[in-house]
């Protein structure tokens, strides 16, 4: 990929909370060493200590803009605060444990410039562990023409219905600031899946682009937020999103197969998480949460049957044919 010749200001948004300085140092350095240099790095810090404040003393880079919050905001409120400070027309979100490869900003910006109907772009990534060892490398075997791929609005909705939160991680996404101004900030009513909610809402009006070669490393470790979230809270937030997607997908034929698919995919997963939470917490009252799985297009009786016959999704019966959902 070649460097972009554009000079637009990119705002890199980095919400922080008690970062592990081993990872945070690599994160900051990876931003400052980008081949695209016209950016501002906005750090909005939720930490109850001065760990980030003290760490940043060693930098004398005018592109770094630091904001210390008086009290913790939570991830999406903190991210919204960073957006409010941004001067750039493009917003690259990034997380404190991850690190960019040199061409991330160049190629994210290129993807949006080449695809004006894209509300956001996400890059594929490699997954690394605490020791920077590759857990799950991203395999890209395409040619030059396949490096950037555009998904139009309706197909974008269909893809989210089938595959879930496609960007996978906040660090992969660059947004047009005008899109956020158009639809509003990240919803703070969705503290667990606010990113998924935002991407789905954007696809009501816009498509998105994908930078297919990996452009960053996303770190996995036991203390990150995605490993400590509550299962039931996650289910409570994600089910309405799938209900919304089900109403908005485009299907030329019967909706029977998508109903079966979503009950097997999300319904069975939700059923398992609720049962697991009940057993681990020893709170039988949590069974009342099963009512979440009995709202259209979800059917609790069908989910129970599928939970048993699929051996908790070790085998799958219902797959959506791309021809049904994605044909022109």
């Amino acid at each position: 990929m070649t460097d972009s010749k554009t000079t637009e200001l990119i705002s890199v948004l980095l919400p922080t909370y008690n970062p592990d300085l081993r990872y945070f140092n690599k994160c900051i350095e990876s931003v400052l060493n980008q081949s695209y240099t016209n950016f501002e790095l906005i750090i909005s810090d939720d930490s109850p200590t001065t760990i980030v404040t003290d760490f940043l003393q060693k930098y004398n880079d005018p592109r770094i803009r630091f904001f210390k919050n008086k009290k913790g905001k939570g991830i999406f409120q903190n991210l919204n605060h960073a957006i409010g400070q941004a001067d750039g027309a493009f917003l690259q979100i990034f997380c404190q444990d991850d690190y960019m490869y040199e061409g991330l900003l160049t190629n994210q910006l290129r993807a949006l410039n080449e695809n004006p109907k894209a509300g956001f772009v996400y890059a594929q990534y490699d997954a690394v562990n605490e020791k920077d060892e590759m857990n799950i490398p991203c395999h890209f075997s395409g040619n030059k023409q396949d490096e950037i791929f555009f998904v139009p609005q309706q197909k974008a909705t269909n893809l989210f219905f089938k595959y879930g939160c496609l960007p996978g991680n906040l660090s992969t996404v660059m947004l047009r600031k005008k899109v956020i101004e158009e639809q509003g900030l990240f919803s703070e009513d969705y503290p667990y899946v606010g990113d998924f909610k935002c991407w789905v809402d954007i696809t009501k009006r816009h498509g998105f682009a994908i930078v297919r070669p990996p452009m960053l490393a996303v770190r996995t470790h036991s203390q990150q937020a995605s490993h400590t979230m509550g299962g039931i809270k996650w289910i409570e937030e994600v089910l309405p999103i799938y209900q919304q997607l089900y109403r908005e997908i485009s299907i030329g034929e019967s909706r029977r197969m998508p109903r079966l698919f979503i009950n097997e995919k999300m319904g069975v997963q939700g059923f398992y998480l609720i049962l697991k939470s009940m057993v681990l917490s020893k709170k039988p009252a949590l069974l009342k949460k099963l009512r979440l799985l009995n709202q259209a297009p979800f059917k609790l009786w069908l989910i129970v049957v599928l939970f048993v016959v699929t051996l908790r999704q070790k085998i799958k019966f219902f797959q959506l044919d791309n021809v049904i959902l994605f044909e022109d």
Side-chain angles (χ1 to χ4, degrees):
M1 292 187 181
T2 58
D3 280 358
S4 171
K5 292 181 170 37
T6 56
T7 58
E8 292 98 332
L9 177 65
I10 297 173
S11 296
V12 179
L13 311 176
L14 182 57
T16 56
Y17 177 80
N18 280 354
D20 185 316
L21 294 183
R22 295 172 300 168
Y23 310 146
F24 191 54
N25 181 71
K26 188 159 189 173
C27 173
I28 297 292
E29 293 293 333
S30 76
V31 178
L32 298 180
N33 290 326
Q34 284 294 292
S35 56
Y36 189 91
T37 58
N38 188 25
F39 66 83
E40 58 178 2
L41 173 56
I42 297 175
I43 301 173
S44 180
D45 183 37
D46 252 3
S47 304
T49 68
T50 61
I51 184 172
V52 176
T53 308
D54 297 340
F55 176 81
L56 293 176
Q57 294 300 316
K58 69 177 184 176
Y59 292 104
N60 185 28
D61 192 318
R63 296 174 298 179
I64 297 177
R65 298 174 58 201
F66 176 66
F67 300 88
K68 175 68 177 173
N69 301 324
K70 292 182 178 179
K71 62 178 182 178
K73 295 177 177 294
I75 184 167
F76 290 111
Q77 189 178 359
N78 195 13
L79 179 54
N80 287 339
H81 177 252
I83 292 172
Q85 314 307 316
D87 291 329
F90 299 90
L91 310 176
Q92 173 67 51
I93 306 171
F94 216 66
C95 300
Q96 64 188 28
D97 295 331
D98 307 332
Y99 57 92
M100 301 179 177
Y101 300 159
E102 184 181 16
L104 174 68
L105 296 184
T106 294
N107 290 294
Q108 298 275 74
L109 181 59
R110 173 189 161 199
L112 290 177
N113 281 332
E114 291 180 357
N115 296 281
K117 292 185 178 180
F120 67 91
V121 58
Y122 74 88
Q124 297 201 88
Y125 62 89
D126 297 315
V128 300
N129 63 17
E130 294 97 329
K131 299 178 181 179
D132 284 331
E133 298 167 336
M134 204 75 72
N135 281 347
I136 308 174
C138 176
H139 297 289
F140 172 68
S141 56
N143 56 41
K144 190 77 172 176
Q145 288 73 31
D146 295 328
E147 288 179 345
I148 294 175
F149 184 75
F150 174 68
V151 180
Q153 182 271 324
Q154 186 58 65
K155 289 186 179 181
T157 297
N158 295 344
L159 280 170
F160 275 120
F161 180 77
K162 182 174 181 180
Y163 295 108
C165 188
L166 285 165
N169 186 281
L170 280 166
S171 292
T172 67
V173 174
M174 180 184 285
L175 297 149
R176 299 184 194 275
K177 188 178 182 182
K178 67 179 182 181
V179 169
I180 286 292
E181 293 171 342
E182 166 188 284
Q183 76 162 37
L185 297 169
F186 287 86
S187 174
E188 294 167 14
D189 294 330
Y190 289 77
Y192 291 85
V193 295
D195 51 343
F196 190 16
K197 173 67 173 170
C198 184
W199 315 147
V200 168
D201 287 345
I202 289 174
T203 57
K204 291 179 180 179
R205 301 183 183 182
H206 306 276
F208 63 83
I210 307 170
V211 177
R212 296 181 65 195
M215 288 284 113
L216 67 154
V218 171
R219 195 180 303 278
T220 59
H221 60 86
S222 60
Q223 299 304 310
Q224 64 193 129
S226 60
H227 288 180
T228 56
M229 294 195 313
I232 289 182
K233 286 290 186 182
W234 182 79
I235 286 293
E236 287 176 335
E237 292 182 20
V238 81
L239 286 180
I241 297 176
Y242 278 102
Q243 290 171 322
Q244 172 186 333
L245 286 167
Y246 178 76
R247 292 191 298 269
E248 295 173 356
I249 55 175
S250 61
I251 307 172
E253 302 178 11
S254 168
R255 300 177 77 87
R256 176 173 173 270
M257 183 56 73
R259 282 199 302 271
L260 293 170
F261 168 82
I262 204 64
N263 275 275
E264 182 179 67
K265 179 188 175 184
M266 273 307 305
V268 170
Q269 184 178 356
F271 185 76
Y272 170 71
L273 285 174
I274 291 171
L275 291 184
K276 181 180 177 181
S277 296
M278 182 193 69
V279 171
L280 292 177
S281 65
K282 299 179 181 179
K283 295 180 180 178
L286 290 179
L287 275 178
K288 294 179 181 179
K289 295 293 184 179
L290 291 175
R291 69 179 183 274
L292 295 168
L293 302 173
N294 206 31
Q295 306 172 57
F298 298 97
K299 292 289 186 182
L300 183 57
W301 68 265
L302 176 60
I303 290 169
V304 173
V305 171
L306 290 171
F307 179 81
V308 174
V309 299
T310 65
L311 304 175
R312 214 189 81 217
Q313 293 186 312
K314 287 184 171 60
I315 56 174
K316 297 193 176 184
F317 294 110
F318 305 114
Q319 294 297 312
L320 288 181
D321 187 342
N322 283 357
V323 173
I324 294 175
L325 280 182
F326 312 123
E327 62 184 353
D328 293 324

